[in-house]
């Protein structure tokens, strides 16, 4: 636990005292912005503005691309939701996240309700100016996300125009250098297996026969009744679509 500065100093700076959770992160052990540097900067900031530092959480050797793999950050956010603090304070905004998408989600889910303070970036969403800055940052993050989506859709559209396959290559097919699908000899084998299954052969018999002949699944594993059924149902759907099965 950390002690806050005096109420007198808080009044002199016209700042409303907040209960804040400090958060720090380092992606490597050799990073110059160490845990001590971050904690000292956060502590001095809280003392200067009369805030109470409730606790400090630190994720070591963690990437800033997503919050999902950072247990300390998730715990800090949990304390916010439990009403233990008014906001989170970080030494620099990139200690919280380096991902525009992650920043957008954090603001949407947490920092429209709770305060976010970045010491070095002079961001304090408790103030109008701070909210303006973070709104600009999240607008840029959202714009970047939409641009990526548009580019992805454009790329997929171009592939469709060229007749190129999009998505996973199914068993019995392979993708050519031109990006199109073509059937392999395995497809004809599976069509024959389907016809025999449709005429009364059991999945156990057919799976055993494939395994005995050394014909493996796409993941190079032995056939089971379950995965053979799954593949044969796909074969059935294809045959129905071209009118070969009623």
């Amino acid at each position: 636990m950390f002690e806050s500065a005096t109420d007198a100093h808080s009044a002199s700076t016209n700042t409303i005292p907040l209960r804040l959770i400090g958060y720090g992160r380092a992606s490597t052990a050799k990073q110059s912005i160490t845990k001590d540097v971050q904690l000292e900067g956060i502590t001095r900031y809280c003392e200067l503005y009369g805030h109470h530092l409730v606790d400090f959480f630190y994720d070591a050797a963690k990437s800033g691309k997503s919050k999902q793999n950072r247990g300390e950050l998730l715990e800090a956010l949990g304390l916010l939701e439990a009403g233990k603090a008014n906001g989170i304070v970080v030494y620099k905004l990139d200690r919280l996240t380096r991902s525009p998408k992650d920043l957008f989600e954090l603001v949407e889910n947490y920092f429209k309700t709770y305060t976010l303070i970045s010491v070095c970036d002079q961001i304090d969403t408790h103030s109008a100016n701070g909210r303006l800055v973070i709104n600009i940052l999240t607008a840029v993050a959202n714009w970047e996300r939409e641009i990526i989506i548009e580019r992805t859709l454009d790329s997929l559209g171009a592939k469709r125009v060229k007749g190129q396959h999009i998505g996973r290559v199914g068993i019995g097919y392979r993708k050519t250098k031109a990006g199109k699908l073509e059937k392999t000899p395995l497809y004809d084998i599976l069509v024959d297996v389907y016809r025999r299954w449709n005429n009364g052969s059991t999945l156990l018999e057919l799976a055993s026969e494939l395994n005995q002949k050394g014909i493996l699944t796409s993941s190079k594993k032995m056939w089971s009744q379950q995965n053979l059924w799954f593949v044969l149902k796909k074969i059935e759907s294809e045959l129905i679509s071209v009118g070969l099965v009623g």
Side-chain angles (χ1 to χ4, degrees), residues 14-87:
N14 295 319
T15 302
I16 299 174
L18 299 173
R19 292 175 57 81
L20 298 174
I21 297 169
Y23 174 75
R25 179 189 63 82
S27 54
T28 66
K30 296 181 179 179
Q31 202 158 39
S32 59
I33 306 178
T34 63
K35 177 180 180 180
D36 290 341
V37 168
Q38 294 176 61
L39 178 56
E40 182 179 359
I42 288 171
T43 303
R44 287 186 176 183
Y45 180 91
C46 289
E47 291 174 348
L48 178 63
Y49 290 102
H51 300 312
H52 177 64
L53 190 57
V54 176
D55 208 338
F56 179 75
F57 293 88
Y58 185 81
D59 279 308
K62 295 291 185 180
S63 168
K65 292 182 179 179
S66 171
K67 68 178 184 295
Q68 296 305 323
N69 65 338
R70 290 185 278 160
E72 294 292 295
L73 175 57
L74 294 176
E75 188 171 348
L77 294 172
L79 287 180
L80 276 186
E81 293 181 309
K84 302 297 183 181
N86 307 111

Side-chain angles (χ1 to χ4, degrees), residues 193 196-197 200-212 223-229 232:
V193 169
R196 291 170 58 195
W197 177 51
S201 296
T202 67
L203 289 171
L204 178 59
E205 293 170 347
L206 296 169
S208 298
E209 184 178 321
L210 288 171
N211 292 332
Q212 289 171 6
W223 289 96
S224 67
Q225 295 181 66
Q226 182 178 0
N227 59 22
L228 182 57
W229 178 88
L232 293 182

